[in-house]
Amino acid sequence: MEKELRQLINNRNRAEEVEKKKELDLYLNTNHIFSYNNKGITDFIYTAVRGVGKSVISVETAIILKRKYGYENVKCFYFRLKDQSIKAMIANHARLAVDPYLVHKYDLEITCKNNIVYDHGKELIEFYPLVAAGSKGKGVNLYDCTFLDPKELLNEDGSIKKKRFIVTIWDEFLMAEGVETRSVGDPVSQYLIYKEAILRDAQRLPQYNAVYNFLLANNVSECAAVTGALYNYIPDPKNYNRVFLTRKHAMFWNVPITEKYNKKRKNSYNSNIIDYANDPNYSALHKDLSLIKPRKTRIRKVTSLLKFDNIDKNKWFCIYDGKYIRKYHNECIKKDLIIAMYRHMDDIFIQELVNEIIEAYDVNAYYYADLMSMSLFTAQMKLLKK
């Protein structure tokens, strides 16, 4: 009996310690980011309410590296969806480009020329929009083949001679409902164009982590279009633990809303107009999982293949038995079952067939084989309809 009691007390103490470690302060900090050095994690995806410091820690990571290793040895690229957002940030001598907290903490002297922000005359951040900028991304030569060249950074025995870093930040990667336009294109594809222009075929270095990619959003509910396409991962809105996608060299963190943060917000001047129960910044939104096919229901025959892109098979979807949609898994499909969802593709475009797909989607006539298929298909349909 005494042994069981001691075990119970130990278990309770362990549980309390775990909860204590999970508890956050009011703001995020860069400590955990640098703790992953040499662990293969290069991509940090955060979903969190506004005001906890997502953007701050991403920019601060670049500042810390620049101050320690030299401004010339660190490149930082900052992306937002719309051109208007970038212009607003760098307007009035980049007054809104860097958080005042960082300006004060690191005694920054901010100036700006074109799309580049400087600190004391040295390059700090390059800003680029993604929306309607796909062609620009292809034309901009941001790659420096010598910057992360092992011959430049390592001695012959493999020891480190010099450290260089690249930091990329995609801030607010979710576009608000109704903002998309058909001319925008797919922001994920445009982001990848820029990543290719920046990194090309630069090799991972086992000696240290030379690249930090940040992807930031305000809530987890609709980020599947990005996390699904880039990392083949659909987050659970109820999971507030850090999820490590080791094969993708990524960490996803749906940062919890702490009692300390809520108390601070409820004591703010805006507390009287915040709808805490329904505002997605303060409560998790949930998908309608009733449209997910029951596991016991078997799908049998492909009746259509929907293509939203000529080459990218992540944008291909099979319709099974006329009503179940599943992400394409290299099924062998007859030519006459292919439906091109856009004009000017290799397959014949028939507007009437596309209209039928849209109408069926609008009335929830389709079911989905899994959550991944549902999230990715929904994202493509939103782009198509806009």
Side-chain angles (χ1 to χ4, degrees):
M1 184 68 178
E2 186 179 342
K3 183 178 179 181
E4 292 177 355
L5 182 60
R6 284 201 305 269
Q7 184 65 41
L8 185 63
I9 293 172
N10 289 336
N11 290 343
R12 186 183 66 184
N13 289 340
R14 273 195 224 103
E16 289 176 353
E17 186 65 26
V18 168
E19 289 302 314
K20 185 177 179 181
K21 288 181 178 179
K22 286 169 61 178
E23 178 65 17
L24 296 171
D25 205 340
L26 281 173
Y27 307 106
L28 296 170
N29 63 67
T30 58
N31 292 342
H32 76 279
I33 294 170
F34 292 116
S35 71
Y36 298 122
N37 192 28
N38 294 327
K39 294 183 180 179
I41 302 297
T42 57
D43 291 25
F44 298 84
I45 310 104
Y46 295 92
T47 58
V49 297
R50 288 185 175 91
V52 299
K54 303 184 302 296
S55 301
V56 169
I57 63 168
S58 60
V59 173
E60 187 173 13
T61 297
I63 294 172
I64 290 171
L65 293 172
K66 282 177 177 285
R67 289 288 175 92
K68 185 173 182 178
Y69 298 102
Y71 280 63
E72 72 281 2
N73 290 320
V74 182
K75 296 183 179 183
C76 182
F77 302 91
Y78 196 112
F79 303 103
R80 296 197 75 165
L81 284 171
K82 301 185 70 178
D83 185 53
Q84 294 94 317
S85 297
I86 294 296
K87 289 179 179 178
M89 294 184 75
I90 61 179
N92 297 322
H93 309 289
R95 184 173 60 88
L96 302 177
V98 181
D99 192 279
Y101 164 77
L102 294 176
V103 174
H104 176 74
K105 181 177 179 178
Y106 293 97
D107 191 27
L108 304 178
E109 185 180 287
I110 298 298
T111 55
C112 180
K113 184 177 180 181
N114 298 323
N115 66 316
I116 301 177
V117 170
Y118 299 83
D119 169 33
H120 290 88
K122 294 176 283 190
E123 286 191 16
L124 183 63
I125 310 171
E126 295 184 43
F127 287 84
Y128 293 95
L130 293 179
V131 166
S135 59
K136 292 181 182 179
K138 289 181 180 178
V140 175
N141 183 17
L142 301 174
Y143 180 62
D144 181 349
C145 63
T146 64
F147 191 75
L148 294 182
D149 186 350
K151 294 179 182 178
E152 295 281 329
L153 305 180
L154 305 177
N155 295 308
E156 291 185 2
D157 61 358
S159 61
I160 298 173
K161 176 170 55 177
K162 178 192 298 183
K163 285 187 177 182
R164 285 177 176 165
F165 301 86
I166 290 177
V167 178
T168 71
I169 304 165
W170 183 0
D171 195 4
E172 296 192 5
F173 62 73
L174 300 183
M175 184 174 280
E177 286 290 336
V179 174
E180 302 96 332
T181 61
R182 185 162 182 174
S183 62
V184 164
D186 183 359
V188 174
S189 297
Q190 294 170 12
Y191 171 72
L192 290 174
I193 288 172
Y194 273 106
K195 286 287 294 295
E196 172 69 15
I198 293 166
L199 291 166
R200 202 72 57 87
D201 56 355
Q203 301 294 297
R204 293 179 179 272
L205 300 173
Q207 289 82 356
Y208 75 99
N209 184 16
V211 175
Y212 293 86
N213 299 312
F214 293 93
L215 294 92
L216 316 173
N218 291 327
N219 69 74
V220 72
S221 306
E222 296 296 334
C223 69
V226 173
T227 60
L230 294 178
Y231 306 104
N232 198 35
Y233 174 70
I234 302 299
D236 177 0
K238 298 178 182 178
N239 183 8
Y240 297 106
N241 295 315
R242 298 174 192 177
V243 178
F244 294 93
L245 312 172
T246 52
R247 292 185 179 181
K248 297 291 185 178
H249 305 281
M251 182 211 71
F252 179 90
W253 191 11
N254 178 26
V255 182
I257 304 169
T258 65
E259 286 301 319
K260 190 180 290 188
Y261 180 86
N262 270 338
K263 184 177 180 180
K264 176 175 178 286
R265 292 296 293 172
K266 289 177 180 178
N267 195 40
S268 70
Y269 285 106
N270 283 332
S271 61
N272 61 324
I273 61 172
I274 295 175
D275 183 1
Y276 289 96
N278 299 306
D279 190 328
N281 289 309
Y282 302 94
S283 61
L285 298 181
H286 303 285
K287 292 181 178 295
D288 182 6
L289 299 183
S290 65
L291 296 176
I292 302 295
K293 172 187 71 64
R295 288 190 176 184
K296 292 183 180 180
T297 302
R298 297 186 63 183
I299 53 177
R300 302 180 182 280
K301 182 180 179 181
V302 176
T303 50
S304 298
L305 172 63
L306 311 183
K307 284 187 177 182
F308 293 84
D309 188 272
N310 266 332
I311 301 173
D312 189 353
K313 294 181 181 180
N314 287 317
K315 299 175 185 176
W316 294 8
F317 300 88
C318 292
I319 300 181
Y320 277 81
D321 308 324
K323 62 178 180 178
Y324 297 109
I325 291 179
R326 189 176 80 161
K327 185 174 176 288
Y328 179 70
H329 290 284
N330 295 316
E331 291 93 336
C332 185
I333 310 295
K334 294 181 180 179
K335 185 79 173 174
D336 59 356
L337 296 181
I338 297 175
I339 299 176
M341 299 301 289
Y342 287 102
R343 290 183 171 85
H344 312 301
M345 293 177 61
D346 292 340
D347 300 286
I348 297 174
F349 176 84
I350 302 175
Q351 184 68 63
E352 290 75 13
L353 292 179
V354 174
N355 290 343
E356 288 179 11
I357 300 295
I358 293 174
E359 290 170 6
Y361 170 80
D362 285 342
V363 298
N364 287 340
Y366 293 123
Y367 291 86
Y368 302 89
D370 48 63
L371 184 57
M372 173 72 76
S373 298
M374 178 181 180
S375 298
L376 295 181
F377 184 76
T378 299
Q380 291 303 318
M381 288 300 291
K382 285 181 178 179
L383 288 172
L384 174 69
K385 291 178 66 180
K386 299 297 180 182

